[in-house]
Amino acid sequence: MSDLFADTFEIMLAGMGGVFIFLILLTFAVGLLTKLCPEITAPKGGVDAQTPAKETPNVASSDNASAAAKLAAVTVAVQKYRQARGSAADQQE
Amino acid sequence: MSDLFADTFEIMLAGMGGVFIFLILLTFAVGLLTKLCPEITAPKGGVDAQTPAKETPNVASSDNASAAAKLAAVTVAVQKYRQARGSAADQQE
Amino acid sequence: MSDLFADTFEIMLAGMGGVFIFLILLTFAVGLLTKLCPEITAPKGGVDAQTPAKETPNVASSDNASAAAKLAAVTVAVQKYRQARGSAADQQE
Amino acid sequence: METLNTLWATTGIASLSFGALVMIVVGLLLIYLAIVHKFEPLLLLPIGFGAVLTNIPLAGMNEAGGVLYTLYSSGVATGLFPLLIFLGVGAMTDFSALLANPRMLLLGAAAQFGIFATLVGAVALNLVPGVEFTIQQAAAIAIIGGADGPTAIYLSSQLAPELLGAIAVAAYSYMALVPVLQPPIMRLLTTKKEREIKMVQLKPVSKRARILFPLMVLILTFLLLPTAAPLIGMFCFGNLMRESGVVDRLSKAAQNELINLVTIFLGLAVGAQLTAGSFLTVQTLGILLLGAFAFCLGTAAGVLMAKLMNLVSKQEINPLIGAAGVSAVPMAARVVNQEGLRANQHNFLLMHAMGPNVAGVLGSAVAAGILLALAG
Amino acid sequence: METLNTLWATTGIASLSFGALVMIVVGLLLIYLAIVHKFEPLLLLPIGFGAVLTNIPLAGMNEAGGVLYTLYSSGVATGLFPLLIFLGVGAMTDFSALLANPRMLLLGAAAQFGIFATLVGAVALNLVPGVEFTIQQAAAIAIIGGADGPTAIYLSSQLAPELLGAIAVAAYSYMALVPVLQPPIMRLLTTKKEREIKMVQLKPVSKRARILFPLMVLILTFLLLPTAAPLIGMFCFGNLMRESGVVDRLSKAAQNELINLVTIFLGLAVGAQLTAGSFLTVQTLGILLLGAFAFCLGTAAGVLMAKLMNLVSKQEINPLIGAAGVSAVPMAARVVNQEGLRANQHNFLLMHAMGPNVAGVLGSAVAAGILLALAG
Amino acid sequence: METLNTLWATTGIASLSFGALVMIVVGLLLIYLAIVHKFEPLLLLPIGFGAVLTNIPLAGMNEAGGVLYTLYSSGVATGLFPLLIFLGVGAMTDFSALLANPRMLLLGAAAQFGIFATLVGAVALNLVPGVEFTIQQAAAIAIIGGADGPTAIYLSSQLAPELLGAIAVAAYSYMALVPVLQPPIMRLLTTKKEREIKMVQLKPVSKRARILFPLMVLILTFLLLPTAAPLIGMFCFGNLMRESGVVDRLSKAAQNELINLVTIFLGLAVGAQLTAGSFLTVQTLGILLLGAFAFCLGTAAGVLMAKLMNLVSKQEINPLIGAAGVSAVPMAARVVNQEGLRANQHNFLLMHAMGPNVAGVLGSAVAAGILLALAG
Ligand code: NA
Ligand code: NA
Ligand code: NA
C-alpha cells in the first residue's frame, strides 16, 4: 500500500514536471515562432477597410454609403431569388 | 401443420391485443400529459407579434414598415457581402 | 524473366485493345443514345427566360427593375431576420 | 493468345447466367420505377442499383471482401442501418397532431390488423405445394403491412434475412402504390356523407408535452414490450433530440447527414440481397401477394375502426383518416387529404390524417416488437 | 394461453430488477439536467438516453449483436470516436489568443495540478474500506480534472473501461457545473484589486504562425511524449486543416458533419456503459467526489500560478484568467469574463481567458500522455 | 528516479530511428507542398499528416488497436473508401461535354497507353539489380498513369498493398504537377497552327440521355469487363443519382458529406502506410520514375491520337485536348485551356477538354478492370 502511495506520489511529481517542461518549451517555441513570422502591417489597413463597412448601418442616411449598401442588398437578394427559382426549376424539370 | 395454424392464430390474437393495449394505455397517458402540460396562451400573443411582420411585404409602401424592412435588408445584405468578401480575402491571403 | 516480359507485352496489347474496344463500343452507344434522346428546343427558351434576370443588376437604375429588385431584397432580408429572430426565440423559450 | 482467352473468360458474356440476367432486369425495372414514376426513389433507386451490381458475374461485390458485402454485414445484418434511419425519422417526426387528438392512436392500432392477418395468411400459403414459410418468415413478411421501410428491414434482418431483399422491395413498392391501392378501399367502405365530415381544428400542444411524449413512449416500451426497444428507442431518441431544443445541431445532423448517408448504404446493401437464388422463387410471388393483402387489410381495418369510433363517441371523425393508420408517412396522409377534397372541395384533412399516420409508425414498431417476442 | 404467458414473460415488468430501475432513473435525470438546466446537452442527452436504453431488460441493446454494443465496440473501445471528436475540436479551435501571449501556456500547465493531486487522492481513498482503485483506475479518474470530455473518455477507454460510464458522466457534469464550482474559489484566492486588473490588448497573429503552431506542437509531442500522439496528433490535424486554408471543405466537414455524427454515436455508446453493476457502486461515489476535488484544485492552481507570475514578471495579468486553465472550453473563459465584469463593469477578459483556456486543452492532453506512459 | 527513467524511455528522442525521422520529414514535405504549393491539398495534407503520425515511435497509431490501423483495415484494405470517393466523384461529374461529342472517348482510350507502357517499363526495371517487381506490383504502379487517385488506391489495395503509400503519393503528386509536366510535351508534339484550331460549339444534351448514360456504361461493364464493376459501378451510381433528379438529397450528400468525411479518413489511412520499411526503398524511386514516365506517355498518346483523328475525320479537333485524356480532372482540362489561349487569345478549349477529361476517368477505370482480370 505505502509502496503504491510512493509510486503515485512520484508519478504526481514527474507528471507535473513533465507537463511544465512540455508547455514551457512550447512557450519558448511559440515566442520564437511569432518572432520569425510577424504579422505584416497589412491587416491594420484591412481593419481600416472594414471599419467603414461596419458603420454603414449607422450612417445609412448618408447618401453614398447607403447607395452602396442598397446596391449590395439588391445584388444579394436578386442572387438569392434566382438561386431559389433556379433550384425550384431544377426540381420541376 | 394445424398446430402451426393454431399457434399463428393465437399470435394474431395476442398481437392485435398487445398492440391495442399498448396504444390505448398510450392514449390515456397522452391525455394525462396534455392535461398536465397545457399550452400556455402566450403563443397567441406570439402569433400576433408575428402577424405584422408577415404582412410587411404587402404594406411595403407604408412608410415606417418599409423603412424598417429596408434597414433589415441593407443590414443583411451588407453582412452577406462582407462575409463573402472576408472569406474570399482569406483564400487569397 | 523473358517469359514475364512476353506475358507483360501480351497484357499491354490485350489491355490497350480492351480499352479501345470498350470505349469505341461506348462511342457508338452514345451516338445512338443522343440520336434516340434528342434535346428538345425548350431549353433555349429557358435560357431566354434567365437572361433578363441576369441583367437586372446592370439596369438597376431603370425604375421598374430596381423596384422589383428592392422588393425582392426586402422580402429576403425580412425573411432572414424573422428566421434569425424565430430561432433565437426558440432557444430562449 | 492465352491472354485473350483469359480476357474472354473474364467477360460477363462468357459467364452469363439466365438468373443473373433476369435479376439485372429487375434492378433496372426498380430504377425505372424510381426515376420515371417516382416510386419511393430515395430507397428504390439505390436498391435497384444494388440489385444490378450484385448480379454482375465475376465481380463478386456481394462476396466476402466485396463492398456490398461489407456494407451488408456491418450495417444490415447487425440492424445498425435501419435503426439509424429510424433515429433520423424520429428526428423528422412532429407528433403535434397526435398529441392534440390522442384518440388517433386507436386508428394506428387498428391498421396493424393487416400485419397479423397476413401472418395467418402466410402460414396458410403453406397449403400451396412448393411454398413453405416458417413462422419467422411469415412474421417478417407480415410486417410489410406495417408500411414502414426501416421496421420491415430491421425485422427481416433479425427473423428471416434470406427474404430481406424481396420484403424490402415489396414494402417500398406498396408504399409507393398507396395512392393506387388505398382509394378504392376507402371509397368502398365509406359513404359520401361520411367522407364529407369536417373535423374540428386541432388545439396547439405545449412544448413540454412534446418533449415528454417520446420519454413516455420509451417508458411504456420498457415496461410492456422490451423487444420493441431498439426500434422505438432509437425513434424516440431522434424525436427527443428534435423537441428538446437543446441539441439542435445533433437533431439537424440526424435529419440530414445521418439519414442521407445511411440511406445510400442501406439501399445498396439491401439491393445486394436481390440475387436470383433468393428472389426468383415461388416464395417471392407469395411475398408480393401477401404484401398487397396486408396493405389492403390494414387500410380497411383503419377505416372501419374510425367508423366504430363514430358509433361510440360523439365527436365525429372522418373515417377516411383511418386509412392513414397504416403509416406510409406522409403519402397515406396525402391520399386521405385528396379523397377528402374529392368528396368536398373545402374539406382539408391533411393535418388530421397526420395523427393516425404517425400513430401507425408507433403501431407497427409495437407490432414488430410483439412478433420478435412471440415468433423470434 | 401459452402465448399470453410468453408475452407476459417478455414484458419489462416481469423481469424488472431494482438496479436497472435505478439506472433508468439516473438516465432520465441526466436527460432532465441536459434539457432543463442545459448541462452539456450535446453529450449528456445522448448519454442519458443511452443509459435508459442499456438498462431495458431483455432488449439486449448492449449485448453482442445489439446496436449499442456495436457502437461501443467499434468506436469507443478502439478509441476512434473520442479521437475523431478531438479532431473536430481541433478544427474548431482558434489559437490566436494563445499565440499572442504564449505565457498563458503556464496557466494551462498549472491547472493540471488538479489531475495529479487527484491521482494521489484516488490512491488515498483505498484507505476507505470497500474502495479499491488500481493505479490505472486512479489515473482514469484523475483525468476528470482535465475538464475535457474526449480526453477523459479516451484515457478511460484505454486504462479503465469498466469505469468509463461514471467518469464520462462526472467529467461532463462538472464541466456543466463550472459556473457554480469556480467563482467561489476564484474570489477566495484573489483580492478585488487583482480582479480589477485590466490586461493589454492582444496583438494580431500572422497566418503563417497559426499554420506552423499545430505542426510545432506535433513535433514537440513526437520528441517528448509519443504516448500523447493519438490525442494531440488528431487535435493538431484538425487545427492544421482549419488554419491551412487549403482544405476548407474538409475543415468544415470536421467541424460539423463529423463532430455531430460522432457525438450522437459516442454519447449513446458511453451511456450504454451506465449499467447497475458498474455504476451503483461505492467506487462511483468516490469518482464523483474525486472529480469535484480535481476541478476545484485545478481552478485554484491556475489562479495561484497567475498570481505567482505577477510576482515575477512586470506585465501584469488578471489572476482570474488562471481559472480558465482547466479548459472546459468555452464555459470557463465565460465564467472568467463574468467575474471580471463583476469586479469592474468595463473589464472584459473573454479574449484574454481564451489563451489559458485552449492551453488547458493541450495541458490535459499532455497529462493524459504522461499518465498513459507511467500508469498504462 | 525509476519513474523518471520510465518517462525518459517513453520519449520519442530515446527511441528515435533514422528511418522514422526521414519519413516524418517526408510527411512534413507533403504538408508543405499541399499548403504552400497547393499540391492536391485535399489528399496530400491528410496523407502527409498520416505519414507523420504513423512514424511517431511508441505511439503505435498504425498497429492493431491504433486509430490509423482501424481506419486502414476497415476502409482501405476492403476497398470501401476509394469506392465511396468514386461514388462521390460520379455524383460530381457532368458528362454533357462527352455526350455532345462522343468521339472524345477515343482520346480517353489513347491516353491509357501510359498505363500499359509503364507496365512493361516496370517489368523492364527488374533488369536493374535490387529492383524486383511482380506483375501485380507492376500493374499497381502502372495505374499511376491513369491520373486518377481513387482508382490508383483501389487497384493497389487489391494487387499490391505493400506499395500503396508510395503509389498514392506518386499519383497525387504527379496530378498536382500536371501544369508542369504536360505543356512541354503538348508543345513538342503540335504545331502552332494545330494549337490554334477552334472547335465548333457543343450541342446541348437532353436530360434523358444524361440519365441513360451511366446505365449504359454499367451494362457495357457488366457484359465486357465485370472486374471493373466495383469502380465503374460506384461511379455510375453516383452519376445516376446526380442526373436522375429524383434523389437530390442523396446526390448532394454524396458530393459533400460523404466525399469530405471519407477523404479525411482515406488520406490519414493512406498516409499511415508511409513507413520507413515500405517507403525508403529502391522500389519507391522506381515508382516515382515510372509514374512520371506513365504521365508523359499518356499525355503524348492522347495528343497523337487527336492528330490521328484529324487525319481520318473532316471535323477538325484541336490536338491539345488529347492531353486531357489522362483525366486528372479538372487540372488537365485547365492546362489545355491555358495552352490554347497561349496559341490564340480567343481560343477557349475548357469545355471541349472536359470531354476527353471525363473519358479519361472511365478509360482508367476500364484499364484497372483489365489489369485486375489479367494480372490479378
Ligand atoms: Na405502420
Ligand atoms: Na484541461
Ligand atoms: Na485516366
Side-chain angles (χ1 to χ4, degrees):
Chain A
M1 182 64 215
S2 73
D3 247 26
L4 180 60
F5 238 127
D7 281 3
T8 312
F9 211 79
E10 227 174 285
I11 293 179
M12 182 179 95
L13 292 181
M16 275 315 284
V19 169
F20 266 104
I21 291 171
F22 193 103
L23 293 181
I24 286 172
L25 284 176
L26 192 56
T27 308
F28 288 118
V30 169
L32 203 71
L33 177 69
T34 48
K35 195 162 285 174
L36 293 178
C37 311
E39 175 65 338
I40 321 133
T41 42
K44 228 207 141 193
V47 169
D48 282 348
Q50 259 182 332
T51 316
K54 264 184 188 156
E55 283 171 6
T56 308
N58 304 330
V59 296
S61 52
S62 95
D63 283 356
N64 276 339
S66 92
K70 263 181 209 160
L71 190 65
V74 167
T75 313
V76 167
V78 170
Q79 275 168 358
K80 287 263 153 200
Y81 169 66
R82 229 182 282 151
Q83 274 170 20
R85 215 194 38 176
S87 57
D90 261 2
Q91 296 195 336
Q92 281 163 12
E93 203 179 347
Chain B
M1 183 62 218
S2 72
D3 247 28
L4 180 60
F5 240 127
D7 282 4
T8 311
F9 211 80
E10 228 176 283
I11 293 180
M12 182 181 96
L13 291 181
M16 276 314 285
V19 169
F20 265 103
I21 290 172
F22 193 102
L23 292 182
I24 286 172
L25 283 176
L26 192 57
T27 308
F28 288 118
V30 170
L32 203 71
L33 178 70
T34 48
K35 196 162 283 173
L36 293 178
C37 311
E39 174 66 338
I40 323 131
T41 42
K44 230 207 138 191
V47 170
D48 281 348
Q50 259 183 331
T51 316
K54 265 186 191 156
E55 283 171 4
T56 309
N58 304 330
V59 296
S61 52
S62 95
D63 284 355
N64 275 338
S66 94
K70 263 182 209 158
L71 191 66
V74 167
T75 313
V76 167
V78 170
Q79 277 169 357
K80 288 264 153 195
Y81 170 66
R82 229 181 281 151
Q83 274 170 20
R85 214 194 38 175
S87 58
D90 261 1
Q91 295 194 339
Q92 281 165 10
E93 204 177 343
Chain C
M1 183 61 218
S2 73
D3 247 27
L4 180 61
F5 239 125
D7 282 2
T8 311
F9 210 80
E10 228 176 282
I11 292 179
M12 182 181 95
L13 292 182
M16 276 314 285
V19 169
F20 266 102
I21 290 173
F22 192 102
L23 292 181
I24 287 173
L25 283 176
L26 192 57
T27 308
F28 289 118
V30 169
L32 203 71
L33 177 70
T34 47
K35 196 162 285 174
L36 292 178
C37 311
E39 174 67 338
I40 322 132
T41 43
K44 229 207 137 190
V47 169
D48 281 348
Q50 258 183 331
T51 316
K54 265 186 187 154
E55 284 171 6
T56 309
N58 303 330
V59 295
S61 53
S62 94
D63 284 354
N64 275 339
S66 92
K70 262 181 209 158
L71 191 66
V74 167
T75 313
V76 167
V78 171
Q79 276 167 357
K80 286 264 153 196
Y81 170 65
R82 229 182 281 152
Q83 274 170 20
R85 214 194 39 175
S87 58
D90 261 2
Q91 296 195 338
Q92 282 163 11
E93 202 177 347
Chain D
M1 200 52 224
E2 210 186 314
T3 306
L4 285 183
N5 280 339
T6 312
L7 203 53
W8 169 253
T10 61
T11 62
I13 301 171
S15 44
L16 207 60
S17 78
F18 180 72
L21 201 64
V22 172
M23 289 314 297
I24 286 178
V25 172
V26 168
L28 293 174
L29 178 70
L30 293 176
I31 294 171
Y32 168 81
L33 291 172
I35 296 179
V36 178
H37 295 291
K38 312 266 189 298
F39 261 43
E40 296 278 333
L42 291 175
L43 262 296
L44 286 185
L45 182 67
I47 289 179
F49 213 96
V52 176
L53 291 179
T54 201
N55 284 291
I56 296 181
L58 304 172
M61 292 181 73
N62 197 30
E63 288 157 26
V67 63
L68 299 179
Y69 177 87
T70 304
L71 290 175
Y72 180 81
S73 59
S74 65
V76 181
T78 61
L80 187 64
F81 289 165
L83 291 177
L84 291 178
I85 297 268
F86 225 50
L87 191 165
V89 172
M92 294 169 100
T93 298
D94 180 353
F95 278 109
S96 299
L98 184 63
L99 294 177
N101 194 0
R103 288 189 310 153
M104 295 297 121
L105 283 163
L106 296 179
L107 300 177
Q112 309 315 317
F113 180 66
I115 294 177
F116 292 102
T118 305
L119 182 73
V120 176
V123 170
L125 263 195
N126 281 353
L127 297 175
V128 178
V131 181
E132 188 80 60
F133 291 124
T134 64
I135 184 78
Q136 285 80 15
Q137 291 179 323
I141 295 166
I143 203 73
I144 297 173
D148 197 89
T151 302
I153 292 173
Y154 178 74
L155 196 72
S156 58
S157 77
Q158 304 297 306
L159 292 181
E162 67 281 5
L163 301 182
L164 193 146
I167 288 174
V169 166
Y172 284 104
S173 299
Y174 290 127
M175 280 161 67
L177 285 172
V178 152
V180 177
L181 291 174
Q182 287 198 322
I185 300 166
M186 291 157 76
R187 284 178 226 150
L188 184 73
L189 297 176
T190 52
T191 63
K192 183 153 194 299
K193 205 167 172 186
E194 285 172 329
R195 294 199 291 276
E196 284 175 339
I197 295 175
K198 283 198 187 174
M199 293 182 64
V200 290
Q201 221 197 310
L202 295 172
K203 303 162 301 182
V205 177
S206 72
K207 196 187 168 198
R208 186 176 295 191
R210 280 184 283 130
I211 294 177
L212 288 173
F213 178 70
L215 291 171
M216 215 174 63
V217 174
L218 182 69
I219 289 170
L220 214 57
T221 306
F222 145 59
L223 292 175
L224 296 183
L225 196 57
T227 47
L231 276 171
I232 295 187
M234 294 306 262
F235 187 79
C236 289
F237 177 48
N239 195 247
L240 181 65
M241 289 203 294
R242 170 200 181 86
E243 298 296 353
S244 72
V246 293
V247 290
D248 253 28
R249 57 184 293 167
L250 301 188
S251 165
K252 266 164 199 150
Q255 292 178 46
N256 294 291
E257 288 89 283
L258 181 65
I259 211 168
N260 289 342
L261 295 179
V262 176
T263 298
I264 294 175
F265 299 153
L266 178 68
L268 283 176
V270 165
Q273 306 315 303
L274 293 174
T275 54
S278 73
F279 193 81
L280 297 180
T281 60
V282 186
Q283 287 190 322
T284 298
L285 283 181
I287 290 171
L288 290 173
L289 193 78
L290 290 164
F293 180 72
F295 255 71
C296 297
L297 272 186
T299 304
V303 173
L304 292 176
M305 183 71 192
K307 294 178 71 159
L308 180 68
M309 284 166 72
N310 275 347
L311 289 182
V312 177
S313 149
K314 332 158 246 198
Q315 200 182 340
E316 264 195 331
I317 59 181
N318 187 318
L320 287 175
I321 67 170
V326 295
S327 42
V329 184
M331 187 78 91
R334 279 196 212 137
V335 167
V336 168
N337 192 51
Q338 195 181 296
E339 290 302 307
L341 289 174
R342 253 176 87 109
N344 175 339
Q345 275 192 314
H346 302 289
N347 197 4
F348 295 94
L349 293 172
L350 190 63
M351 278 316 294
H352 299 285
M354 286 312 294
N357 214 190
V358 297
V361 176
L362 287 179
S364 48
V366 169
I370 292 178
L371 290 173
L372 275 172
L374 295 182
Chain E
M1 200 50 225
E2 210 185 313
T3 306
L4 286 182
N5 281 339
T6 312
L7 203 54
W8 170 251
T10 61
T11 62
I13 302 171
S15 45
L16 207 60
S17 78
F18 181 71
L21 201 64
V22 172
M23 289 313 298
I24 286 178
V25 171
V26 169
L28 293 174
L29 178 70
L30 292 176
I31 294 172
Y32 168 82
L33 291 173
I35 296 179
V36 177
H37 296 290
K38 312 265 188 300
F39 261 42
E40 296 279 333
L42 291 174
L43 262 296
L44 286 185
L45 181 67
I47 289 179
F49 213 96
V52 175
L53 291 180
T54 201
N55 285 290
I56 296 181
L58 305 173
M61 292 180 74
N62 198 30
E63 287 157 27
V67 64
L68 298 179
Y69 176 88
T70 304
L71 290 175
Y72 180 81
S73 60
S74 66
V76 181
T78 61
L80 186 63
F81 289 165
L83 292 178
L84 290 179
I85 298 268
F86 225 50
L87 191 165
V89 171
M92 293 170 100
T93 299
D94 180 352
F95 278 109
S96 298
L98 184 64
L99 294 178
N101 194 0
R103 288 190 309 152
M104 294 298 122
L105 283 163
L106 296 179
L107 300 178
Q112 309 315 317
F113 180 66
I115 293 176
F116 292 102
T118 305
L119 183 73
V120 176
V123 170
L125 263 196
N126 281 353
L127 296 175
V128 178
V131 181
E132 188 80 60
F133 290 124
T134 64
I135 184 78
Q136 285 80 14
Q137 290 178 324
I141 295 166
I143 204 71
I144 297 173
D148 197 88
T151 301
I153 292 173
Y154 178 73
L155 198 71
S156 58
S157 78
Q158 304 299 307
L159 292 182
E162 67 281 7
L163 301 182
L164 194 147
I167 287 173
V169 166
Y172 284 105
S173 300
Y174 289 127
M175 279 162 66
L177 284 172
V178 152
V180 178
L181 291 174
Q182 287 198 323
I185 299 167
M186 291 156 77
R187 283 177 226 150
L188 184 72
L189 296 177
T190 53
T191 64
K192 183 151 192 301
K193 205 166 173 190
E194 285 172 329
R195 293 198 292 275
E196 282 174 343
I197 294 174
K198 283 196 187 176
M199 294 182 64
V200 291
Q201 220 196 312
L202 296 172
K203 303 163 300 183
V205 177
S206 73
K207 197 188 168 196
R208 186 176 296 190
R210 280 183 283 132
I211 294 176
L212 287 173
F213 177 71
L215 290 171
M216 215 173 65
V217 174
L218 182 69
I219 289 170
L220 215 57
T221 306
F222 146 59
L223 291 175
L224 296 183
L225 196 58
T227 46
L231 275 171
I232 295 187
M234 294 305 260
F235 187 79
C236 289
F237 178 48
N239 195 248
L240 180 65
M241 289 203 293
R242 171 201 181 88
E243 299 295 352
S244 72
V246 293
V247 290
D248 253 30
R249 56 184 293 169
L250 301 188
S251 164
K252 266 165 199 149
Q255 293 177 46
N256 294 291
E257 287 89 282
L258 182 64
I259 211 168
N260 290 341
L261 294 179
V262 176
T263 299
I264 294 174
F265 300 152
L266 178 68
L268 284 176
V270 166
Q273 305 315 304
L274 293 174
T275 53
S278 73
F279 193 81
L280 298 180
T281 60
V282 187
Q283 286 189 322
T284 299
L285 284 181
I287 290 170
L288 291 173
L289 193 77
L290 289 165
F293 180 71
F295 255 72
C296 296
L297 272 187
T299 304
V303 173
L304 292 175
M305 182 71 191
K307 294 179 71 158
L308 180 68
M309 284 165 72
N310 275 347
L311 289 182
V312 177
S313 150
K314 14 189 191 163
Q315 199 183 339
E316 265 195 329
I317 58 181
N318 187 317
L320 287 175
I321 68 171
V326 296
S327 42
V329 183
M331 188 77 91
R334 279 196 211 136
V335 167
V336 168
N337 192 51
Q338 193 182 296
E339 290 301 307
L341 289 174
R342 253 179 87 110
N344 175 339
Q345 275 191 314
H346 302 288
N347 198 3
F348 296 94
L349 294 172
L350 189 63
M351 278 315 294
H352 298 285
M354 285 313 293
N357 213 190
V358 296
V361 176
L362 287 179
S364 49
V366 169
I370 293 179
L371 290 173
L372 275 172
L374 295 181
Chain F
M1 200 50 223
E2 209 185 314
T3 305
L4 285 183
N5 280 340
T6 312
L7 203 54
W8 170 250
T10 61
T11 62
I13 301 171
S15 44
L16 207 59
S17 78
F18 180 70
L21 201 63
V22 172
M23 288 314 296
I24 285 177
V25 172
V26 168
L28 293 173
L29 178 69
L30 292 176
I31 293 171
Y32 168 81
L33 291 172
I35 296 179
V36 178
H37 295 290
K38 311 269 188 300
F39 261 42
E40 295 278 332
L42 291 174
L43 263 296
L44 286 185
L45 182 67
I47 289 179
F49 213 96
V52 176
L53 292 180
T54 201
N55 284 292
I56 296 181
L58 305 173
M61 291 180 74
N62 197 29
E63 287 157 26
V67 63
L68 298 179
Y69 176 86
T70 304
L71 290 175
Y72 179 81
S73 59
S74 64
V76 181
T78 61
L80 187 63
F81 289 165
L83 292 178
L84 291 178
I85 298 268
F86 225 50
L87 191 164
V89 172
M92 293 169 101
T93 299
D94 180 353
F95 278 108
S96 299
L98 184 63
L99 294 178
N101 193 0
R103 288 188 310 151
M104 295 296 121
L105 282 163
L106 295 178
L107 300 176
Q112 310 313 318
F113 179 66
I115 294 178
F116 293 102
T118 305
L119 181 74
V120 176
V123 170
L125 264 195
N126 281 353
L127 296 175
V128 178
V131 180
E132 188 81 60
F133 291 124
T134 64
I135 183 78
Q136 285 80 15
Q137 291 179 324
I141 295 165
I143 203 72
I144 297 173
D148 197 90
T151 301
I153 292 174
Y154 178 74
L155 198 71
S156 58
S157 77
Q158 305 297 306
L159 291 181
E162 66 282 6
L163 301 181
L164 194 146
I167 288 174
V169 166
Y172 284 103
S173 300
Y174 289 126
M175 279 162 67
L177 285 172
V178 152
V180 178
L181 291 174
Q182 288 198 321
I185 300 167
M186 291 157 76
R187 283 178 226 151
L188 185 72
L189 297 176
T190 53
T191 64
K192 181 152 194 298
K193 206 167 172 188
E194 284 172 330
R195 293 200 290 277
E196 283 174 343
I197 294 175
K198 283 196 185 174
M199 294 181 65
V200 291
Q201 219 195 311
L202 295 172
K203 302 163 300 183
V205 177
S206 72
K207 197 187 168 198
R208 187 176 294 188
R210 281 184 281 131
I211 294 177
L212 288 174
F213 178 70
L215 290 171
M216 216 173 63
V217 174
L218 181 69
I219 290 169
L220 215 56
T221 306
F222 145 58
L223 291 176
L224 296 182
L225 197 57
T227 46
L231 275 171
I232 295 188
M234 294 307 261
F235 187 79
C236 289
F237 178 48
N239 195 247
L240 181 64
M241 289 204 293
R242 171 201 181 86
E243 299 295 352
S244 72
V246 293
V247 291
D248 254 30
R249 56 184 292 168
L250 301 188
S251 165
K252 267 167 198 148
Q255 291 178 47
N256 294 291
E257 287 89 281
L258 181 64
I259 211 168
N260 289 342
L261 295 179
V262 176
T263 298
I264 294 175
F265 299 154
L266 177 69
L268 285 176
V270 166
Q273 305 314 302
L274 293 174
T275 54
S278 73
F279 193 81
L280 297 180
T281 61
V282 186
Q283 286 190 320
T284 298
L285 283 181
I287 290 170
L288 291 173
L289 194 77
L290 289 164
F293 180 72
F295 255 71
C296 297
L297 273 187
T299 304
V303 173
L304 292 175
M305 182 70 191
K307 294 179 70 159
L308 180 67
M309 285 165 70
N310 275 347
L311 290 183
V312 177
S313 149
K314 1 175 213 186
Q315 200 183 335
E316 265 195 329
I317 58 180
N318 187 318
L320 287 175
I321 67 170
V326 296
S327 44
V329 183
M331 187 78 91
R334 280 195 211 136
V335 167
V336 169
N337 192 50
Q338 193 183 295
E339 290 301 308
L341 289 173
R342 252 177 88 109
N344 175 339
Q345 274 192 314
H346 302 289
N347 198 4
F348 296 95
L349 294 171
L350 190 62
M351 278 316 293
H352 298 285
M354 286 313 295
N357 214 190
V358 297
V361 177
L362 287 179
S364 48
V366 170
I370 292 178
L371 290 172
L372 276 172
L374 294 181

